Each structure stands twice: as structure tokens, then as C-alpha cells.
């Protein structure tokens, strides 16, 4: 929305483009007086002498805005997200922040899961349609205990609140506890404290769910049940479905080692290894790789998809995950 002056103020200098608060205030005054959009002001910046010192920066931003608008009409939503992150310089800015920035980028990448689901279900997938769909949200601040409604919230926002029935979803390794926290004892402890908060929000009934596979960061992943579930007294748990698909055990039993689950497939795959169709990435079925996040694993299968290749990888610690080769190229290295 080129006329949304509030959001314009949030993005025009993020990351830094030399367009400060004083310049933004001038643009806001012009848009208010002349009833034009900020985009129109920047496109015709030469008509406003008061903005002459920042003319080049404003013209560059206006051109970027136009390029993004055009790209959104031609690309899929997932392609457009990558294009936007690179075109705006936001990806580079976040990478410069180190671990904090990487975490922010992971949160942004998770949008791809929502985009993928939306594109599969929508008759005509558009950016505006997607934005309308995800704009539906629940405001915890307006929660009234007497209302007969379902409240959707994060664990953090649920602190201090109690409910008769609580549904805790996604209790899986890599989700809760999160993948980033699993390498550090202090981080796992913080996640454990947060899990305690979640579990104790229920006054009568608590339902905890896991899934055999889910889409995260645009990739299909198969995660083991959360380690926190094994710390709950088994006498307090009623398991509704004991056998999970893909050979994973119920939460009341210890999960089988990942390598033993996929050993037969790996041996078969190595015998029928074929050259990688993924261009510059020299990979074959049966190769061992090391991923920055998921650790070591074995490539179980490869499937050509457009200009990319879908890799199915059996990781030693976190199970099987499907990853697009070009997307993950900078995140793993070949071991054998």
C-alpha cells in the first residue's frame, strides 16, 4: 500500500539507507498537504527542493519499491520473499548481526511454510491474498475469561494466565526445544523452564501433540518427540496413539536411533547411486554430509524439481528431513 505512511516510516531506513527521521518527517508533511503517496513524492523528488539533499537516496528507494511491485506479479510467493530479502539488503544486514540476525532470518524463512500452504489451497494465489489471510490474529490483551472462544497464543504471552483446557502443539525436537538451543545446556534449561510454564497453564486438561512430519523453513521435516515429554511421569500421561508413522515410537517409549531406522535404505541407495542433477553441487545418493544446524546425515534420495533438487537426508540426531539443494548449499558440506 503506497499510501500507508505508518509502515513507510518503518521500512524506509531499515536497513540504513541514509534516509533519517528529519527526511521522513518532510515526506509526511508533503503527503499530508498534497494528498499524494510517499512513493509519488520520492518518484518526483526533484519537484521538492526541500528534499534535494536526499534526492538520490529517495530515488533509489522508489525504484526498489517499483521493482518489488513488478516482481510480486511475476514470481511465486516463496521466490518473491528471497528476492525481497536480497533486493532490500535486509538479508545482508541481518547476517552482519551474527547469531541474532541469523535467528531473525530463520523466523522470516518460516514464512515460506505459510506461503507454501496458502499457494496449495488458494484458487489464485496472490501476495495481497496471502497478506489478508495471515492478518487474522488473536489479541491476548483483549482476552476475557468468560468468553467461549479459543485463544491462540505463544507460551510467553500465556504467562500468568490459566485455562481449563490447554492444547500444546509441536512438542518435538528442533521445535520445542528449538534447534538453536539444543547445543547449549543453559539454552536447553531456559527452554525447559518455558515448557514448564506451558504445561502449568492448564487447570483441568492438558493435550500435547506431536506430528510425524511438518514443514519448517519451507522444508518437510520429521522430528522426534521432545525430550521434555520423557521427563513427565508416565502415570500422568494417556497416550492416544501409540504408534507413530515412519517407524517413530510413541512418547512413552524411547525413540529408535536414527541410523538404525534408515540403515537398510542407505545400503540400497548406495548401490544405486546416481550423479546429482543439481548443477554445481556434486552430490550422490548415499553421500555423507554435515549440516550447520542438523549435524551429520546421509542422503537417502534425490528428486529433480525445476531448477533445483529435493534432497531427502537421514540425519543421525534429528531424523529425516527434505531440503532443497540450492537453498541449503551454503549450510552443509560433503563428508564422503
Amino acid at each position: 500500500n503506497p499510501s500507508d505512511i505508518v509502515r513507510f516510516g518503518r521500512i524506509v531506513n531499515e536497513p540504513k539507507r541514509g534516509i533519517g527521521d528529519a527526511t521522513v518527517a518532510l515526506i509526511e508533511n508533503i503527503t499530508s498537504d498534497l494528498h499524494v503517496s510517499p512513493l509519488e513524492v520520492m518518484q518526483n523528488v526533484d519537484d521538492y527542493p526541500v528534499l534535494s539533499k536526499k534526492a538520490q537516496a529517495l530515488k533509489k528507494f522508489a525504484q526498489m519499491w517499483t521493482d518489488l511491485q513488478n516482481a510480486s506479479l511475476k514470481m511465486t510467493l516463496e521466490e518473491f520473499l528471497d528476492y525481497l530479502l536480497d533486493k532490500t539488503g535486509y538479508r545482508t544486514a541481518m547476517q552482519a548481526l551474527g547469531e541474532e540476525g541469523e535467528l531473525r532470518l530463520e523466523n522470516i524463512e518460516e514464512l515460506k511454510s505459510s506461503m507454501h500452504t496458502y499457494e496449495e489451497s488458494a484458487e489464485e494465489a496472490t501476495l495481497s491474498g496471502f497478506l489478508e489471510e495471515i492478518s487474522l490474529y488473536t489479541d491476548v490483551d483483549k482476552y476475557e475469561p468468560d468468553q467461549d472462544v479459543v485463544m491462540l497464543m505463544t507460551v510467553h504471552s500465556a504467562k500468568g494466565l490459566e485455562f481449563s483446557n490447554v492444547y500444546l502443539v509441536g512438542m518435538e525436537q528442533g521445535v520445542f526445544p528449538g534447534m538453536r538451543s539444543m547445543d547449549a545446556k543453559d539454552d536447553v534449561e531456559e527452554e525447559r523452564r518455558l515448557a514448564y510454564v506451558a504445561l502449568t497453564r492448564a487447570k483441568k486438561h492438558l493435550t500435547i501433540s506431536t506430528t510425524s512430519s511438518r514443514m519448517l523453513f519451507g522444508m518437510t521435516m520429521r522430528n522426534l518427540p521432545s525430550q521434555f515429554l520423557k521427563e513427565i511421569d508416565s502415570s500422568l500421561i494417556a497416550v492416544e496413539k501409540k504408534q507413530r508413522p515412519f517407524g517413530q515410537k510413541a512418547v512413552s517409549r524411547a525413540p529408535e536411533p536414527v541410523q538404525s531406522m534408515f540403515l537398510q535404505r542407505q545400503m540400497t541407495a548406495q548401490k544405486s547411486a546416481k550423479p546429482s542433477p543439481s548443477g554445481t553441487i556434486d552430490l550422490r545418493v548415499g553421500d555423507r554430509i554435515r549440516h550447520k544446524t542438523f549435524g551429520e546425515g546421509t542422503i537417502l534420495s534425490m528428486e529433480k524439481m525445476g531448477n533445483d533438487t529435493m534432497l531427502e537426508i537421514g540425519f543421525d540426531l534429528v531424523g529425516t528431513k527434505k531440503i532443497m539443494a540450492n537453498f541449503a548449499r551454503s549450510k552443509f558440506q560433503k563428508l564422503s
Side-chain angles (χ1 to χ4, degrees):
N1 179 4
S3 298
D4 191 333
I5 193 68
V6 175
R7 288 172 176 82
F8 165 76
R10 293 175 182 171
I11 68 172
V12 67
N13 203 40
E14 181 65 40
K16 302 299 182 183
R17 301 186 180 91
I19 304 174
D21 293 341
T23 302
V24 173
L26 290 173
I27 294 175
E28 290 179 352
N29 291 337
I30 294 172
T31 59
S32 177
D33 293 341
L34 301 181
H35 302 290
V36 295
S37 71
L39 179 59
E40 291 177 273
V41 174
M42 292 184 293
Q43 288 173 332
N44 302 289
V45 67
D46 292 333
D47 295 339
Y48 308 103
V50 70
L51 297 173
S52 60
K53 291 183 179 180
K54 297 295 181 179
Q56 288 304 115
L58 294 175
K59 285 180 181 179
K60 186 176 180 180
F61 183 83
Q63 185 59 53
M64 179 188 72
W65 192 329
T66 301
D67 291 343
L68 288 171
Q69 285 180 318
N70 294 333
S72 69
L73 302 176
K74 302 174 183 177
M75 298 179 175
T76 66
L77 294 178
E78 294 176 57
E79 291 173 338
F80 178 66
L81 178 59
D82 283 328
Y83 178 75
L84 181 144
L85 290 175
D86 293 329
K87 183 73 174 178
T88 61
Y90 195 80
R91 190 195 303 276
T92 301
M94 291 300 100
Q95 290 171 341
L97 292 178
E99 185 174 349
E100 179 186 353
E102 287 295 332
L103 183 59
R104 291 186 186 182
L105 286 175
E106 285 186 4
N107 289 335
I108 295 173
E109 287 290 345
E110 176 55 13
L111 271 175
K112 288 184 178 179
S113 299
S114 301
M115 289 175 169
H116 183 80
T117 301
Y118 167 74
E119 288 182 310
E120 284 191 333
S121 60
E123 292 185 6
E124 184 178 350
T126 63
L127 177 60
S128 59
F130 174 70
L131 294 175
E132 287 176 6
E133 183 165 300
I134 65 170
S135 66
L136 299 175
Y137 67 95
T138 299
D139 190 349
V140 178
D141 294 333
K142 297 179 181 178
Y143 168 64
E144 296 181 11
D146 295 333
Q147 286 185 320
D148 185 18
V149 297
V150 174
M151 295 292 295
L152 180 65
M153 65 184 71
T154 64
V155 178
H156 283 288
S157 63
K159 289 181 178 180
L161 301 177
E162 288 186 325
F163 308 88
S164 295
N165 300 283
V166 170
Y167 295 84
L168 186 57
V169 299
M171 283 296 286
E172 302 153 21
Q173 291 293 96
V175 180
F176 201 177
M179 186 62 64
R180 280 183 166 271
S181 67
M182 293 169 63
D183 294 332
K185 183 178 179 180
D186 289 344
D187 291 341
V188 172
E189 284 302 311
E190 181 58 34
E191 291 275 279
R192 182 175 282 106
R193 285 190 287 271
L194 194 58
Y196 177 80
V197 170
L199 297 172
T200 54
R201 296 310 89 199
K203 292 191 289 186
K204 294 182 179 180
H205 298 102
L206 171 66
T207 301
I208 304 173
S209 67
T210 65
T211 182
S212 57
S213 65
R214 70 170 62 250
M215 181 169 286
L216 286 173
F217 312 129
M219 301 176 287
T220 300
M221 298 183 178
R222 297 172 185 171
N223 301 318
L224 298 175
S226 171
Q227 65 192 69
F228 299 147
L229 297 180
K230 293 183 289 185
E231 300 172 13
I232 302 175
D233 188 335
S234 59
S235 66
L236 302 175
I237 300 177
V239 180
E240 193 163 305
K241 187 176 182 181
K242 293 184 178 180
Q243 186 64 39
R244 291 162 57 91
F246 306 108
Q248 293 182 7
K249 300 295 184 179
V251 299
S252 59
R253 304 177 185 177
E256 295 180 1
V258 174
Q259 282 197 341
S260 67
M261 290 164 55
F262 301 104
L263 182 58
Q264 185 175 359
R265 292 180 64 184
Q266 293 175 14
M267 293 175 65
T268 303
Q270 288 173 347
K271 292 179 181 178
S272 59
K274 296 181 180 181
S276 165
S278 57
T280 58
I281 304 178
D282 183 20
L283 296 173
R284 295 171 181 268
V285 173
D287 281 348
R288 291 284 292 174
I289 62 99
R290 179 183 291 113
H291 192 278
K292 287 183 178 180
T293 302
F294 307 128
E296 295 187 7
T298 301
I299 298 177
L300 305 177
S301 68
M302 303 175 69
E303 180 182 355
K304 182 70 174 177
M305 300 183 69
N307 296 323
D308 206 343
T309 301
M310 174 73 80
L311 305 177
E312 183 180 16
I313 304 174
F315 288 100
D316 299 346
L317 298 178
V318 297
T320 302
K321 301 187 185 298
K322 292 184 178 180
I323 303 174
M324 299 307 294
N326 289 339
F327 173 77
R329 177 167 25 190
S330 63
K331 297 188 176 182
F332 67 76
Q333 65 181 101
K334 181 178 175 182
L335 298 179
S336 64

